Amino acid sequence: KQEVTQIPAALSVPEGENLVLNCSFTDSAIYNLQWFRQDPGKGLTSLLLIQSSQREQTSGRLNASLDKSSGRSTLYIAASQPGDSATYLCAVPETSGSRLTFGEGTQLTVNP
Amino acid sequence: EAGVAQSPRYKIIEKRQSVAFWCNPISGHATLYWYQQILGQGPKLLIQFQNNGVVDDSQLPKDRFSAERLKGVDSTLKIQPAKLEDSAVYLCASSLARSSSPDTDTQYFGPGTRLTVL
């Protein structure tokens, strides 16, 4: 059974800092890995999807890397802003289009 | 492009009552998912539809939860009777999921329905 863990559970940083969020998974036979953002009282917004054959994906100030062999992914946020404050979740599906197994998330606070 | 729509946004009921949630996925999305998110945890899949057929309901408490997706578009999730531990946010998501590519694999989530059972 796939298990996904995210560390740290919460993170508070000053504005402008570069930061890394970690995600680990127990079964390396993943199809892809997805990072989501969740604002309080809102649904999830997809940030990045990395296919199992890829090593990283970039979108603006976000960069996600994937190391299947070690069961790890990192989300790098450059030059953090107060608007980045949210909970960040990583998730993996068993196969294409199947259910996602989520981590418990990292709650990020960026202080002005 | 309109996103995934859900209603109601909030619902408060007493235990043993029944409740229903509605979801309208993104137009053209064949796959629809219902997730339950308990406070402080990641979402957990309850049921997945491909068009109007059930693909995965292995984690659905079938003694009290039911869901349907008529005509392969809108979906309704029902709880009857509700228990205190059903208090959670119920998220609906949809995806194209017709072929293996990032665009079709990405799941798009609605705003959720926050259920409080007293």
Side-chain angles (χ1 to χ4, degrees), chain A residues 1 31-32 34 36 38 40-46 49 51 54 57 89 96-105, chain B residues 9-10 31 33 35 37 40-43 45 48 56 58-59 91 97 99-102 105-107 109-111 114:
Chain A
K1 177 187 173 186
Y31 190 76
N32 60 49
Q34 301 175 37
F36 293 88
Q38 186 171 32
K42 302 282 183 66
L44 280 66
T45 300
S46 177
L49 184 152
Q51 296 285 26
Q54 297 176 315
Q57 277 283 356
L89 295 138
S96 174
S98 76
R99 65 175 161 179
L100 293 171
T101 299
F102 283 85
E104 295 194 338
Chain B
R9 290 296 314 278
Y10 306 92
T31 306
Y33 313 79
Y35 289 87
Q37 186 176 25
Q41 299 181 15
L45 182 82
Q48 176 183 348
D56 183 352
S58 58
Q59 298 184 108
L91 296 163
S99 60
S100 304
S101 79
D105 280 351
T106 299
Q107 294 186 22
F109 284 77
R114 182 176 297 277

Side-chain angles (χ1 to χ4, degrees), chain A residues 33-79:
Chain A
L33 185 142
Q34 301 175 37
W35 282 94
F36 293 88
R37 167 185 173 139
Q38 186 171 32
D39 293 282
K42 302 282 183 66
L44 280 66
T45 300
S46 177
L47 297 174
L48 291 164
L49 184 152
I50 313 175
Q51 296 285 26
S52 61
S53 58
Q54 297 176 315
R55 296 283 295 183
E56 63 180 74
Q57 277 283 356
T58 298
S59 176
R61 295 182 294 107
L62 305 179
N63 175 275
S65 67
L66 175 63
D67 184 344
K68 277 184 57 178
S69 61
S70 66
R72 293 182 180 182
S73 175
T74 62
L75 180 66
Y76 176 83
I77 302 178

Side-chain angles (χ1 to χ4, degrees), chain B residues 57-99:
Chain B
D57 64 356
S58 58
Q59 298 184 108
L60 185 75
K62 299 181 184 64
D63 57 335
R64 298 184 301 106
F65 286 65
S66 65
E68 60 181 8
R69 188 181 186 198
L70 299 176
K71 300 181 181 178
V73 182
D74 292 5
S75 177
T76 302
L77 176 69
K78 297 180 181 177
I79 308 175
Q80 182 179 9
K83 292 185 176 181
L84 296 177
E85 58 261 36
D86 298 332
S87 294
V89 176
Y90 291 84
L91 296 163
C92 179
S94 70
S95 72
L96 282 169
R98 289 202 202 103
S99 60

